Amino acid sequence: MFAYAAIAFFLGSLVFVLLNFLYKNTEAYAAKFGEVAKFKRVPANLEMANLGSNHAKYGFNYDGLGVNGFNFALGPQYPWYDLALLKTYARHLKKGCHVLIVLPAAIFCCGDNCWETDKYYHFLPRGRIKDFSWRKKIGAIFPLLAHPGQVRRLLKDIPSESLVENTPAHCEKEAIARRDGWIKQFGLRDMVSANFSEDHLRNFEKAVALVSQMIDFCRENAFRPVLVIPPASAALQKIMGEEFLRVALYENIRKANVGHAPVLDYLHDARFSAPSLYINSAFLNDSGAVLFTRAVYDDLQLPSPPHA
């Protein structure tokens, strides 16, 4: 009887492992966790590296630039994990490496509990994961244990991602939808005025402290921190008010930048306003990323960056 039970357990375990293996080769899995594979091949002696969320993930491409660079951005990514990644992979950075701390318009608005953390269990050490959970760690190894319903993707996978042509009309429509999504996600009243709640002010303080810590860490390790405000399409620019940006973005950058790191501001840069450079209203496409990365690189070669 025991032998039959042991065989059944062994066969059941084998099937379970096989199903997880097959699921990890689906488009559904790749869409959620495929981007973490890059952390298995981080180069050594990096001369340029960026942190950040989706704006940076899509915005930087170091290919053909003639510099040893790496894009550490994930989407979405809160500054807490920017700092965790910086500390974890500091050994891969060359002394004097330019570390680009990318700060899009609404990054200071959200608290540290509004980002999913499952992806970090695939490559960060336990001590660098906020509120570490063994359940999530095991789920990273066996994803069907954490999300058993995804077994259906073995029968019907999701289609590969296909991009819609980002025409001016599409870009305008997407910008409005994105603004409405940010307002809902971050609990904002709008993205025009400077009407922020006490919760937002606390979120500002937390994110400001994290950016300051990144700057300090770079200085302590002989890296060169650079604060980068990424570009936005003209459609997205016009729905973000001056007062909102002044309080939510620029004042927080000023408070965080106690180390007086260079600030490169491309938010309203006319070179990057055309929808043809974006996959939507906010994130650059491949062509846009090449142009933008080159612009940042060129600006960093100047003794006094023109956008500081």
Side-chain angles (χ1 to χ4, degrees), residues 105-106 108-109 196 204 243-252:
F108 292 94
C109 293
F196 296 105
F204 289 173
E243 276 300 291
F244 173 84
L245 291 172
R246 180 181 65 82
V247 176
L249 180 63
Y250 292 107
E251 285 190 2
N252 287 319

Side-chain angles (χ1 to χ4, degrees), residues 284-302:
L284 291 163
N285 59 26
D286 291 343
S287 298
V290 169
L291 292 174
F292 176 56
T293 309
R294 166 59 70 177
V296 174
Y297 176 79
D298 288 344
D299 286 345
L300 289 174
Q301 308 313 302
L302 301 173

